[in-house]
Amino acid sequence: MTAHPDRTAEGVWDLTVATPIGRIKAVVEFRRRDGVLTGVASGAGEDVPLRDIAVDGTLVTWKQSVTKPLRLNLAFAVDVRGDTLEGTSRAGRLPASKVTGTRRTTPARTSE
């Protein structure tokens, strides 16, 4: 079953970015608000908003700024296939870092 194109990225994702200084773990959440895809990334003790989010088929791109471990402006481009994604993150002129991720599944709510 293929996800609806507008819903490709929605959800909470556990990401791993393989950088030259080691693997960095982050959580990214994409949510639709008033028909617009928004997002926030959490990791290294900070939450940062995602900018310029775009979905083109299975390709999802966005930008974000971080201050930890270094102050960087990052540009992500990932291919979403079901509940997994793979792509790259680039910080300016630095070499691209490999990004992988898994969408969290929300357990069914039970009434108590």
Side-chain angles (χ1 to χ4, degrees), residues 4-9 32 37 52-61:
H4 186 278
D6 291 341
R7 308 237 186 271
T8 299
R32 190 161 300 280
L37 193 60
D52 303 332
I53 301 169
V55 179
D56 183 5
T58 60
L59 177 68
V60 180
T61 59

Side-chain angles (χ1 to χ4, degrees), residues 13-16 83-87 99-103:
W13 296 84
D14 291 307
L15 300 186
T16 300
D83 290 333
T84 62
L85 62 76
E86 189 173 300
V99 177
T100 56
T102 305
R103 187 186 331 243

Side-chain angles (χ1 to χ4, degrees), residues 16-22 75-77 87-91 94-100:
T16 300
V17 182
T19 73
I21 61 170
F76 285 79
T88 60
S89 170
R90 183 175 287 283
L94 297 175
S97 295
K98 183 177 179 179
V99 177
T100 56

Side-chain angles (χ1 to χ4, degrees), residues 17-28:
V17 182
T19 73
I21 61 170
R23 293 185 183 276
I24 297 174
K25 302 279 188 181
V27 175
V28 173

Side-chain angles (χ1 to χ4, degrees), residues 63-107:
K63 294 177 182 173
Q64 69 185 73
S65 298
V66 297
T67 60
K68 298 175 185 178
L70 300 169
R71 185 176 298 275
L72 297 170
N73 293 314
L74 304 173
F76 285 79
V78 299
D79 184 43
V80 176
R81 299 292 177 166
D83 290 333
T84 62
L85 62 76
E86 189 173 300
T88 60
S89 170
R90 183 175 287 283
R93 294 182 176 171
L94 297 175
S97 295
K98 183 177 179 179
V99 177
T100 56
T102 305
R103 187 186 331 243
R104 290 184 184 176
T105 55
T106 306

